[in-house]
Amino acid sequence: MEEEISELEFYGDSLLLYDSVLIELSSRINIIRKSSVLHNERDPIENVKTRIKSPKSMINKLKMKGLEPKAENIEGNITDAAGMRVICTYIDDVYKVSSILAAQKDINVLEVKDYIKNPKPSGYRSYHMIVELPIYIGDTNKTVCAEIQFRTLSMDFWASLEHQIRYKHDIPSHKMIEAELRRCADEVASVEMNFLTIRDMINSLKENQS
Ligand code: 0O2
C-alpha cells in the first residue's frame, strides 16, 4: 500500500504559515468570546475547530485544477489550505461573529459564500468566508489565506453526519438518499427556528419582568 505523505513533507516551510494563520484567527475568535462574556452577554460560540488540509486532499485539489501537485502551487490558486470552523449557538450569532471578524482592519475578506441564505442542493448550510491577513514570523510578514466556516450547532450536526454518510465517498448518486438528506436538513433547520422563537419569547418575558 502507498504510504501517505506527511504534512511537513508536503507543505514544507508553508506549514508554519498555515499553522500560524489558524493560531492567529483562533486567538481573535477567543477575544470575541471573552469580550461578550465580559459585557454580560451570552458567549455566541459553542466550539472552534481548525485543520490544515490533508496532503492527500490538497494533492487531489491541485490535480483537479490542472496544477502540478506541489505546495508551491497553492498560493494564488487555493485558499483553504488552512481552515477554521466556528460553531455558533444561533443563526444570528453566525452573522454577528463573522461581521466582527470581517471588520478587523488587517483582515481582508476575499470571498463570502452564504449557504445559509442559499443552501447547497445537498441541503448543506454554512456561512463561508475566505480571508487573508498578515502573519508575522520573526521580523518578516506574509499575507496568508484561510477559509472560515461559520455554522450553528444544528448545521454542524447535519454536515458532520452527512459527511460521514456520503460526502467524498465514491458512491454513485442515489436520488432517494439525496432527497432524504435534504429532508433531514430542512427538518433540522425548522427545529432550529423553533429554538430561536423560544429564545426570543423567553427574552421578552424577562424584559417585561424587569
Ligand atoms: P474539507 O475536508 O472539509 O476541506 P472549493 O473548495 O472552492 O474548490 P467549493 O465547493 O466551491 O469548492 O467550496 P465551498 O462550496 O466553499 O465548500 C468547500 C467546503 O465546504 C468543503 O470542503 C466542505 O468542508 C464543505 N461542504 C461543501 N458542501 C458540502 C456538503 O454538501 N456536505 C458537507 N458535509 N460539507 C460540504 P472540502 O474541501 O470539500 O473538504
Side-chain angles (χ1 to χ4, degrees):
M1 211 165 69
E2 208 179 307
E3 216 174 286
E4 254 187 54
I5 180 167
S6 76
E7 279 185 352
L8 187 58
E9 271 175 297
F10 179 72
Y11 286 107
D13 285 350
S14 334
L15 188 60
L16 180 60
L17 289 172
Y18 299 132
D19 265 336
S20 305
V21 76
L22 293 175
I23 293 170
E24 180 70 40
L25 287 169
S26 301
S27 138
R28 292 183 190 213
I29 289 289
N30 236 330
I31 294 170
I32 295 173
R33 299 182 77 168
K34 284 192 188 291
S35 155
S36 294
V37 175
L38 203 72
H39 292 101
N40 292 323
E41 287 168 22
R42 193 175 41 76
D43 180 351
I45 294 165
E46 296 290 328
N47 61 71
V48 177
K49 300 169 200 166
T50 58
R51 68 105 182 89
I52 304 276
K53 203 172 192 68
S54 72
K56 190 175 165 209
S57 187
M58 182 57 84
I59 287 168
N60 284 340
K61 196 159 185 174
L62 285 163
K63 282 185 183 163
M64 268 166 49
K65 286 186 175 263
L67 296 162
E68 217 187 307
K70 51 184 191 180
E72 292 83 340
N73 286 334
I74 296 173
E75 201 181 328
N77 294 306
I78 288 172
T79 48
D80 70 342
M84 182 163 79
R85 198 165 279 161
V86 181
I87 315 299
C88 299
T89 318
Y90 299 105
I91 292 186
D92 43 9
D93 296 324
V94 164
Y95 290 105
K96 185 176 146 191
V97 175
S98 57
S99 68
I100 294 174
L101 206 60
Q104 298 188 350
K105 284 224 158 51
D106 57 351
I107 292 190
N108 187 18
V109 178
L110 297 176
E111 191 181 0
V112 166
K113 289 184 193 165
D114 190 344
Y115 296 125
I116 298 177
K117 291 210 171 83
N118 303 299
K120 281 200 160 187
S122 62
Y124 177 76
R125 292 157 70 239
S126 271
Y127 184 88
H128 291 192
M129 206 159 85
I130 305 288
V131 297
E132 60 173 17
L133 58 155
I135 293 300
Y136 289 84
I137 309 276
D139 58 358
T140 60
N141 81 76
K142 197 159 169 35
T143 303
V144 184
C145 284
E147 180 188 75
I148 314 176
Q149 300 181 347
F150 296 91
R151 49 171 87 149
T152 62
L153 278 171
S154 79
M155 294 170 198
D156 192 49
F157 163 71
W158 182 92
S160 304
L161 288 184
E162 191 257 6
H163 190 272
Q164 277 188 39
I165 293 172
R166 193 182 72 117
Y167 198 62
K168 288 193 165 180
H169 287 275
D170 205 9
I171 50 158
S173 78
H174 192 298
K175 281 206 162 42
M176 200 174 75
I177 292 176
E178 279 168 15
E180 273 303 290
L181 285 166
R182 268 198 306 274
R183 189 181 60 76
C184 288
D186 292 344
E187 279 187 18
V188 167
S190 144
V191 171
E192 178 163 341
M193 289 316 288
N194 293 341
F195 269 102
L196 210 58
T197 311
I198 296 168
R199 182 201 68 180
D200 292 344
M201 276 163 59
I202 291 174
N203 283 345
S204 65
L205 281 173
K206 273 205 308 212
E207 271 169 33
N208 288 342
Q209 266 178 359
S210 55

